[in-house]
């Protein structure tokens, strides 16, 4: 089954996806990371990864949190081309170094989960202060990467990405697998974007947008999540105003989804009628980061997955943002 040409078969969204548990709760706890070490043999490690690991004691990385350091060097991301074909693998560390991203060889597969409860409120998280990329920014429910391991490379029905999402919802938010069955995720297209975090780190991802409606108990892992809350549409609009005023920061991928798709898709979540079959491509100006409240769309390309036809529509911000 072709990953690119069969997306629509997995994109129907039924109200039956919404289920409830007796007493859903949202609470901060001391739950520690349950993520096991990445099952990647030493032979998988590239020379670049080995060189990066050798720098762990260098000054720029000396203050890196121990948990984040482990994940940065042990996790192997899946490298892909712009059509989402697997072309290799690389450490999370190397994939997120901005100097490596600028070579054009670090595009990797990612996912962003948007979890709604049965009141159709969206669960947001604030990334922990120890995160290497985009610390303390508010974002969607869960954002991470499928890893270069058998269970997360399965292409059929996007099962590998779904498995990864289920794993990280437990790791970051303490949501058990049985509360978020993999067949309940609706893959709502993919977004290809590039964005800097600071002078050293950034993102270049082909990001699967996964929607799910479930009532769940949430126990955030403090190594990953500083805070979490549900918002309705009006509350999210207020959060956007605060971001525009510099009171809070939003992740660039979340801002792109909110400003281009989310409120339209929110209507379909409530109606049970989600359908999308495009890769959405964005590029963010290299000097624009989450220090700026709004992210201009420099370019927006649409790739039809059903017919493999490329459509192009460019748009530019009317407001020029200069670095401070």
């Amino acid at each position: 089954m072709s990953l690119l040409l069969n997306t629509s078969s997995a994109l129907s969204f039924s109200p039956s996806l919404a289920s409830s548990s007796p007493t859903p709760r949202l609470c901060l706890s001391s739950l520690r990371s349950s993520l096991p070490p990445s099952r990647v043999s030493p032979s998988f490690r590239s020379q670049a990864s080995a060189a990066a690991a050798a720098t762990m004691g260098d000054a720029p990385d000396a203050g890196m949190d121990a948990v984040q350091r482990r994940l940065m060097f042990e996790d192997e991301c899946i490298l892909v081309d712009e059509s989402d074909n697997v072309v290799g693998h690389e450490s999370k560390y190397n994939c997120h170094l901005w100097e490596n991203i600028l070579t054009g060889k670090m595009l990797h597969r990612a996912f962003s989960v948007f979890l709604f409860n049965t009141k159709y409120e969206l669960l947001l998280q604030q990334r922990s202060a120890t995160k290497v990329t985009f610390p303390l920014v508010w974002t969607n429910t869960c954002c991470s990467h499928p890893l270069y391991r058998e269970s997360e490379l399965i292409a059929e029905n996007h099962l590998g990405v779904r498995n990864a999402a289920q794993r990280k919802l437990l790791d970051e938010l303490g949501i058990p697998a049985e509360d978020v069955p993999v067949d309940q995720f609706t893959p709502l297209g993919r977004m290809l974007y590039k964005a800097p975090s600071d002078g050293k780190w950034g993102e270049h991802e082909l990001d699967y947008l996964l929607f799910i409606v479930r009532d769940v108990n949430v126990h955030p892992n403090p190594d990953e999540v500083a805070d979490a809350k549900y918002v309705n549409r009006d509350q999210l609009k207020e959060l956007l105003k605060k971001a525009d005023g510099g009171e809070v920061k939003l992740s660039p991928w979340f801002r792109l989804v909110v400003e281009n798709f989310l409120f339209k898709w929110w209507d379909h979540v409530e109606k049970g009628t989600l359908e999308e079959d495009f890769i959405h491509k964005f590029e963010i100006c290299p000097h624009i980061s989450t220090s700026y409240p709004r992210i201009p769309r420099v370019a927006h390309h649409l790739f039809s997955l059903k017919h493999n036809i490329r459509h192009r529509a460019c748009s530019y911000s009317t407001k020029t943002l200069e670095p401070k």
Side-chain angles (χ1 to χ4, degrees), residues 219-231:
H219 303 275
N221 174 359
D223 287 328
E224 298 285 346
V225 177
D227 198 1
K229 63 181 178 182
Y230 283 99
V231 296

Side-chain angles (χ1 to χ4, degrees), residues 26-31 218-222 225-228:
L26 177 63
C27 59
L28 294 174
S29 74
S30 59
L31 178 70
V218 180
H219 303 275
N221 174 359
V225 177
D227 198 1

Side-chain angles (χ1 to χ4, degrees), residues 191-213:
M191 179 174 70
L192 197 164
Y193 76 97
K194 181 190 297 182
S197 174
D198 53 29
K200 181 173 182 177
W201 306 102
E203 294 282 6
H204 191 198
E205 297 184 332
L206 200 156
D207 191 10
Y208 281 70
L209 307 177
L210 304 177
F211 277 51
I212 185 169
V213 179

